């Protein structure tokens, strides 16, 4: 499982850094795709990413929202009930 692979990207503050980050993200996902293809259908990879690139859109299994009115909301469905206290 890979959580937030883009977390530390995009902090350069210049247009060149943004373009470089987009290339790095695309290369990262292409590498994962090749790695999975070489290992066959018995391999599983879970990537939690807030904004996966278009090249993997057909591989997105579930997309969680930040809106309670548009389920699935949050990441752990049974931990986001309406009985919660005020938002922190």
């Amino acid at each position: 499982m890979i959580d937030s692979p883009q977390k530390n990207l995009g902090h350069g503050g210049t247009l060149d850094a943004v373009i470089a980050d987009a290339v790095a993200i695309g290369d990262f996902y292409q590498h994962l795709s090749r790695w999975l293809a070489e290992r066959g259908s018995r391999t599983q990879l879970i990537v939690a990413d807030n904004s996966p690139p278009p090249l993997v859109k057909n591989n997105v299994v579930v997309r969680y929202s930040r809106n309670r009115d548009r389920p699935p909301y949050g990441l752990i469905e049974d931990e986001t009930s309406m009985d919660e206290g005020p938002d922190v």
Side-chain angles (χ1 to χ4, degrees):
M1 178 174 182
I2 300 172
D3 187 10
S4 306
Q6 299 186 51
K7 183 177 181 180
N8 293 315
L9 296 174
H11 297 287
T14 68
L15 182 59
D16 290 339
V18 172
I19 292 169
D21 288 348
V23 169
I25 293 163
D27 288 348
F28 170 74
Y29 275 98
Q30 286 178 355
H31 171 74
L32 293 181
S33 296
R34 284 190 304 270
W35 185 86
L36 285 167
E38 291 170 1
R39 278 144 185 86
S41 63
R42 295 180 358 168
T43 304
Q44 179 181 32
L45 179 64
I46 299 169
V47 180
D49 192 340
N50 290 331
S51 53
L55 73 101
V56 295
K57 72 178 182 179
N58 292 334
N59 300 101
V60 174
V61 175
V62 65
R63 193 175 292 273
Y64 290 89
S65 80
R66 294 181 183 184
N67 182 342
R68 292 176 193 250
D69 298 328
R70 196 176 69 221
Y73 166 73
L75 183 58
I76 305 171
E77 293 174 24
D78 65 344
E79 294 296 328
T80 58
S81 70
M82 297 302 283
D83 297 333
E84 294 177 297
D87 291 335
V88 178

